[in-house]
Amino acid sequence: MLTVQRKQLLMSRLAAEGRLVAKDLAAELETSEDTIRRDLRELAAAGKLQRVHGGALPASAALADLRGRESVSVDDKVALGRHGAALIEDGMVVILDGGTTAIQLARQLRPGLRATIVTHSPNVAIEAAVHPQLEILVLGGRLFRHSMVNVGAAVIDAASRLRADLYFMGVTGVHPEAGLTTGDAEEAAVKNALHKRTAETVVLASAEKLLAASPFLVAPLGEIARLVVPAATPAKTLRALKVAAVSVERCERT
């Protein structure tokens, strides 16, 4: 089998089964594990998949920059943002991550809400600032332009002095084995620091993030309080996510 044919087969199998196991594929295709691993390395370098121990998982389609993600799953992100905003009550201290879903949440905060919003995203802070009763704290650091969030030691140090009620964590990959992942090491470190400073972490995940993986781990999926997904999420996907013993909720479009 030619290399290009083998790679096409690998991608077809990944789409159908949701994961690749190098050892099994080598036996099935009567080739060496080294050959399969080389194929996986090259496909990963092209952004086609995410390598993990023993094989590969689907690569997240949510790794584009903030501008590129604005047109992806728009209706679902509006619904997810609305669902998240409904969880915020007066008097709460709430951490909002960066990203397009967090921006939708900020846009849909209840008028007159009296709460404290903490964010390391200038864009989210601007959206939340239209609500005059909100106290808004912006964690400063180096601006990571890809996601338009502040990252670095200053953000992590500031996070260490927080005690929040809710943290809405943004990620690019949600997988029962690979966990909650993102595409940048510094951003992952900030997210993990914020996760550790809240009573409950909530992930609002649009379809392209589900059962996909990115290079850097933020936290295991089972550590969060709830995962909110679009109403149209297939039952097979829901069953796979529930294996991690996390509470999974569907949100409806209105």
Side-chain angles (χ1 to χ4, degrees):
M1 181 181 291
L2 297 175
T3 299
V4 65
Q5 294 173 316
R6 194 171 54 245
K7 288 181 178 178
Q8 289 172 347
L9 175 62
L10 294 179
M11 292 307 302
S12 176
R13 189 68 59 83
L14 182 60
E17 300 180 3
R19 68 173 301 138
L20 298 175
V21 179
K23 181 178 180 181
D24 294 346
L25 287 164
E28 177 185 341
L29 301 178
E30 298 182 345
T31 188
S32 69
E33 286 189 49
D34 284 343
T35 296
I36 298 299
R37 292 194 189 99
R38 184 182 66 244
D39 289 344
L40 296 181
R41 283 197 300 271
E42 292 174 357
L43 288 167
K48 302 293 186 181
L49 52 77
Q50 177 62 49
R51 293 182 69 209
V52 296
H53 180 72
L57 295 173
S60 174
L63 286 173
D65 62 16
L66 189 69
R67 185 180 297 274
R69 299 197 305 272
E70 287 177 341
S71 60
V72 177
S73 302
V74 176
D75 291 340
D76 282 339
K77 289 176 181 178
V78 170
L80 290 165
R82 185 182 303 113
H83 188 102
L87 299 177
I88 302 175
E89 300 176 1
D90 287 337
M92 281 186 168
V93 176
V94 178
I95 304 172
L96 293 186
D97 212 332
T100 51
T101 305
I103 288 172
Q104 289 295 341
L105 190 160
R107 288 173 179 169
Q108 297 177 70
L109 293 169
R110 172 171 56 83
L113 177 67
R114 294 178 178 272
T116 298
I117 301 297
V118 182
T119 185
H120 61 130
S121 164
N123 292 20
V124 170
I126 290 169
E127 295 289 349
V130 303
H131 297 272
Q133 304 301 326
L134 291 178
E135 183 76 19
I136 300 173
L137 304 179
V138 182
L139 306 182
R142 180 181 66 84
L143 182 64
F144 178 45
R145 288 181 173 82
H146 178 88
S147 300
M148 290 302 291
V149 292
N150 297 325
V151 297
V155 181
I156 293 174
D157 180 63
S160 69
R161 293 186 285 276
L162 293 173
R163 287 192 181 277
D165 298 291
L166 287 175
Y167 168 37
F168 290 93
M169 177 195 288
V171 293
T172 56
V174 179
H175 194 279
E177 297 172 23
L180 300 160
T181 53
T182 194
D184 179 78
E186 274 195 293
E187 195 175 10
V190 169
K191 292 174 187 294
N192 181 266
L194 295 171
H195 167 59
K196 290 178 178 178
R197 303 308 300 173
T198 186
E200 294 186 12
T201 294
V202 178
V203 172
L204 308 172
S206 46
E208 72 278 4
K209 302 175 182 180
L210 302 177
L211 301 186
S214 296
F216 299 100
L217 176 68
V218 178
L221 180 56
E223 284 191 5
I224 65 174
R226 65 179 83 185
L227 170 66
V228 185
V229 301
T233 302
K236 180 181 178 181
T237 300
L238 293 174
R239 287 194 297 271
L241 293 168
K242 288 177 179 177
V243 168
V246 63
S247 173
V248 182
E249 303 172 9
R250 291 188 186 190
C251 71
E252 299 289 340
R253 294 183 185 180
T254 58

